[in-house]
Amino acid sequence: MRDFADRMPAFEALNCAVAGISPDSQESHRKFAEKLGISFPLLSDPDHGFIEACGFWAAKKMYGREYMGVERSTVIADPGGKAVKIFRKVKVSGHAEEVLQTLKEHAG
């Protein structure tokens, strides 16, 4: 999230809106955004209806234990709301730059 916040001028220059969504509460998002200086919207989906509809609620494993959770993903949508690129199982490092590159390719 911090990488996206740091690159907001570049996203804005491409006329791109940025938002995040997770099952965390609105209060949790507010504190997180305050702590990291995030200015874009962080949406709360506590029942994970949207997250499930997108296919981002998935089985995960940690320390041999399997559980359901959010698969970190990014969706690039066109101005009409149609998904043009979906990044699945995102690794944080370098991802914001990868998204910017993809947006530039679609814009150019």
Side-chain angles (χ1 to χ4, degrees), residues 36-52:
L36 295 180
I38 294 171
S39 60
F40 52 85
L42 298 177
L43 309 173
S44 179
D45 184 18
D47 299 326
H48 37 85
F50 178 81
I51 294 166
E52 282 189 48

Side-chain angles (χ1 to χ4, degrees), residues 14-66:
L14 292 169
N15 199 28
C16 177
V18 174
I21 187 166
S22 83
D24 297 332
S25 70
Q26 291 177 347
E27 179 63 14
S28 172
H29 285 317
R30 185 190 63 74
K31 288 177 181 177
F32 182 75
E34 238 175 53
K35 180 180 176 181
L36 295 180
I38 294 171
S39 60
F40 52 85
L42 298 177
L43 309 173
S44 179
D45 184 18
D47 299 326
H48 37 85
F50 178 81
I51 294 166
E52 282 189 48
C54 292
F56 303 145
W57 191 251
K60 300 174 90 172
K61 245 184 198 177
M62 187 181 339
Y63 304 116
R65 187 180 132 251
E66 193 166 306

Side-chain angles (χ1 to χ4, degrees), residues 2-108:
R2 183 70 240 164
D3 278 353
F4 281 88
D6 289 345
R7 289 169 176 74
M8 280 309 295
F11 285 105
E12 290 166 351
L14 292 169
N15 199 28
C16 177
V18 174
I21 187 166
S22 83
D24 297 332
S25 70
Q26 291 177 347
E27 179 63 14
S28 172
H29 285 317
R30 185 190 63 74
K31 288 177 181 177
F32 182 75
E34 238 175 53
K35 180 180 176 181
L36 295 180
I38 294 171
S39 60
F40 52 85
L42 298 177
L43 309 173
S44 179
D45 184 18
D47 299 326
H48 37 85
F50 178 81
I51 294 166
E52 282 189 48
C54 292
F56 303 145
W57 191 251
K60 300 174 90 172
K61 245 184 198 177
M62 187 181 339
Y63 304 116
R65 187 180 132 251
E66 193 166 306
Y67 63 98
M68 295 300 288
V70 178
E71 178 185 271
R72 190 181 301 249
S73 305
T74 299
V75 177
I76 296 177
D78 68 14
K82 179 182 175 192
V84 294
K85 173 82 175 174
I86 299 174
F87 298 87
R88 307 290 302 245
K89 298 181 181 178
V90 168
K91 302 289 184 230
V92 175
S93 181
H95 182 59
E97 193 57 43
E98 178 183 26
V99 171
L100 276 170
Q101 275 306 120
T102 301
L103 287 168
K104 289 174 185 174
E105 290 166 10
H106 280 275

